[in-house]
Amino acid sequence: MILVAEFSLKLNWLPATGAKSFSASPVDAIRHALLPGIAIAAYGMAEVARQLRGALLEVLSSQYVRTLHAKGLSMSRILWQHGLKNVGVNLLTIISLLVNRMLAATVVIEAVFAIPGLGSLIVRGAIQRDFPIVQGVVFTMVVVVIAVNLIADLLCAAVDPRIEQ
């Protein structure tokens, strides 16, 4: 709501509601997608940054990092080659959970920005007591959540071979 108040109502830079087809007008489609995209991504970026920072601080304070630093490796090389490799599983898990939460958040985002989509379809179905629609959308979201979790588990096993054991 703050984004709508500032960028749409106060500054009149972006449209407050609705969606446009990308094939009809790419510029209008991007302008209509900016505020909802920022709204849904802001929480995700903050969560990933906070969790990544905590995990990296833990890894960078470990004994082997001090050994790598004593061997003469630069801090950037230690961070990129060793630090991120060791927090990769945590990062993948956080991102997969975040994707699942963002899927649920689309219901609210679509309602606030008046965007037609799965979120508004489930709300409209619930209001009209059209339970097959609600069940179909919920089933679709469950399949997406299961697929995201499966992909995250497979990627975690690829990043850290100890997980397969």
Side-chain angles (χ1 to χ4, degrees):
M1 297 306 294
I2 293 171
L3 291 172
V4 171
E6 287 297 316
F7 293 106
S8 293
L9 303 176
K10 189 175 180 183
L11 299 173
N12 201 23
W13 288 352
L14 297 168
T17 60
K20 297 288 183 185
S21 172
F22 193 78
S23 61
S25 174
V27 173
D28 278 345
I30 291 171
R31 289 186 73 238
H32 278 82
L34 273 176
L35 284 181
I38 291 169
I40 201 161
Y43 169 75
M45 290 187 308
E47 176 74 15
V48 169
R50 187 175 64 85
Q51 295 289 342
L52 182 61
R53 180 185 178 275
L56 275 175
L57 285 175
E58 184 179 330
V59 167
L60 293 177
S61 66
S62 65
Q63 195 70 21
Y64 81 93
V65 171
R66 281 187 234 138
T67 304
L68 291 172
H69 193 61
K71 286 184 175 183
L73 268 70
S74 67
M75 197 59 187
S76 64
R77 186 168 180 193
I78 292 171
L79 177 68
W80 289 104
Q81 288 186 346
H82 299 280
L84 287 178
K85 182 179 178 184
N86 289 318
V87 299
V89 173
N90 293 343
L91 190 59
L92 285 171
T93 304
I94 292 163
I95 290 173
S96 69
L97 292 172
L98 192 60
V99 167
N100 296 337
R101 279 187 260 146
M102 284 181 166
L103 184 64
T106 59
V107 176
V108 175
I109 295 294
E110 288 176 7
V112 168
F113 292 101
I115 300 170
L118 286 179
S120 57
L121 182 63
I122 198 169
V123 169
R124 190 171 48 249
I127 290 171
Q128 295 174 352
R129 297 189 182 272
D130 190 355
F131 295 117
I133 292 287
V134 173
Q135 289 173 333
V137 173
V138 168
F139 179 75
T140 303
M141 289 181 168
V142 166
V143 169
V144 170
V145 166
I146 291 171
V148 166
N149 288 338
L150 176 66
I151 291 168
D153 286 345
L154 293 173
L155 287 173
C156 285
V159 168
D160 190 357
R162 296 175 295 174
I163 292 177
E164 289 180 1
Q165 299 171 357

